[in-house]
Amino acid sequence: MKRFLSLLLLGSLVIFMGTALAGKKCDKSCSEFSSCVGAKGKVVTLEGEIVEAGCFLANGETAKENADCIKKCAAEGMPLVLVAKDESVYLIVKNADTAKAYEQTIKLAAEKVEIKGIVHSKDGMKAIAVTEIKQLELAAK
């Protein structure tokens, strides 16, 4: 039940962030599964580990503890977060202009990565709209 409530809350946050961070309403130019986060803003580079948001927020699970589950959840479309080196947490969102980078992010779930993207924040929540990503090393062995 806790996991369901966590996922429900997280799903609501993802929907909120997709519209609130965009600064504009989605129109017909956005694909069905794309956020309307565009390429406006300064590109930053962050290093960290990609984990599934629900398990991380509810239980603190990382790739070391549950890599197979993270990969499965990512493939099923569950929200992902980047836990940066400084332990900051960023919701990973699709940049409408670089959708292929987000698709690569899903493939690199449970791995240590370097993500380039545009960071947005609102009311204490942070997200990164991915423009580039590369694997640094295997997070879980």
Side-chain angles (χ1 to χ4, degrees), residues 1-137:
M1 184 68 170
K2 284 184 181 180
R3 182 178 174 124
F4 174 77
L5 291 174
S6 295
L7 293 176
L8 183 63
L9 175 62
L10 189 59
S12 298
L13 285 172
V14 169
I15 291 168
F16 170 76
M17 291 299 288
T19 56
L21 292 177
K24 65 173 184 161
K25 291 185 180 181
C26 286
D27 58 24
K28 292 180 183 177
S29 66
C30 288
S31 68
E32 183 178 339
F33 298 105
S34 175
S35 74
C36 284
V37 178
K40 294 182 181 174
K42 180 181 175 187
V43 174
V44 300
T45 302
L46 299 171
E47 289 184 12
E49 179 179 277
I50 299 173
V51 297
E52 190 271 324
C55 290
F56 177 76
L57 294 172
N59 305 316
E61 288 185 14
T62 64
K64 183 177 181 181
E65 289 119 2
N66 214 348
D68 291 338
C69 184
I70 291 168
K71 289 178 182 292
K72 181 181 176 198
C73 289
E76 292 177 0
M78 298 302 293
L80 300 173
V81 295
L82 175 73
V83 180
K85 279 178 146 181
D86 67 358
E87 299 184 13
S88 297
V89 179
Y90 297 83
L91 178 65
I92 299 172
V93 296
K94 185 186 294 185
N95 182 318
D97 300 325
T98 56
K100 287 186 180 186
Y102 182 81
E103 292 166 14
Q104 187 65 19
T105 301
I106 294 168
K107 293 176 184 174
L108 292 175
E111 305 296 342
K112 292 191 179 180
V113 297
E114 176 184 275
I115 289 182
K116 291 184 181 185
I118 301 156
V119 172
H120 302 276
S121 63
K122 182 162 180 72
D123 298 331
M125 186 169 185
K126 294 185 272 188
I128 185 164
V130 181
T131 57
E132 291 180 46
I133 185 167
K134 71 176 182 179
Q135 184 175 358
L136 294 177
E137 61 184 77

